[in-house]
Amino acid sequence: MSGTIYILNGPNLNLLGKRQPEIYGTSTLADVSSSCAKVGEEFDLAVHLLQSNHEGQLIDWIHEARENAAGIIINPAAYSHTSVAILDALNTFEGPVLEVHISNIHKRETFRHHSYVSSRADGVIAGCGIEGYALAMRHVGALLS
Ligand code: DQA
């Protein structure tokens, strides 16, 4: 493998598949990991999927990615809309950053329309369900090729 992509997931996404399936679907983070690993094979990229309900843990993993990852795919979940700290951490990372939202945040409550992370992201995918992660993986692969 020529590199590793960190796929970081924020609060409540551990419940993906069980949580509000009418919004987020019935697939799980394990499904996300296997679909991204499949795309990664095409680009010689490994995936390392992580999830935390804690802002500081996500920031620590972004710092770790500075040493260990060629790119970051991040669904910051609710922290998208609140966290300057996660934005600041991503601004220390030099590789490609793709932001993914399973739901279309622009079709939902107005407080979800703004994401701090989007000002750092090289691309943003929203509303494509968990397929958005595989699409992001493909784009990161293309950017790194
Ligand atoms: C989400 C959208 C956020 O507004 C929400 O807080 C989430 C998930 C998404 O993937 O659609 O937890 O990031």
Side-chain angles (χ1 to χ4, degrees):
M1 291 285 171
S2 68
T4 299
I5 306 303
Y6 271 33
I7 304 178
L8 302 178
N9 293 277
N12 302 303
L13 288 168
N14 53 311
L15 296 178
L16 191 63
K18 297 184 192 132
R19 165 200 189 199
Q20 294 180 281
E22 68 286 3
I23 297 176
Y24 299 111
T26 52
S27 301
T28 65
L29 279 185
D31 298 323
V32 170
S33 184
S34 61
S35 68
C36 288
K38 206 173 284 175
V39 176
E41 282 170 19
E42 290 176 38
F43 295 94
D44 205 21
L45 292 168
V47 301
H48 187 45
L49 186 142
L50 297 159
Q51 187 279 330
S52 178
N53 295 324
H54 306 279
E55 189 175 20
Q57 176 64 83
L58 291 162
I59 291 164
D60 287 345
W61 284 333
I62 293 166
H63 294 172
E64 190 184 294
R66 284 163 48 80
E67 308 300 324
N68 299 337
I72 294 176
I73 294 170
I74 183 163
N75 182 348
Y79 288 140
S80 316
H81 319 301
T82 62
S83 181
V84 175
I86 288 177
L87 169 63
D88 285 350
L90 288 169
N91 277 329
T92 76
F93 182 76
E94 290 183 0
V97 174
L98 267 286
E99 177 182 357
V100 172
H101 298 283
I102 296 162
S103 64
N104 182 356
I105 53 175
H106 302 290
K107 236 178 140 179
R108 299 182 64 190
E109 303 96 321
T110 49
F111 66 83
R112 296 185 201 275
H113 294 182
H114 176 261
S115 164
Y116 285 99
V117 167
S118 297
S119 69
R120 164 61 183 91
D122 296 292
V124 180
I125 297 169
C128 299
I130 69 151
E131 195 192 347
Y133 290 89
L135 294 169
M137 190 67 199
R138 190 165 292 284
H139 191 61
V140 169
L143 289 173
L144 292 170
S145 297

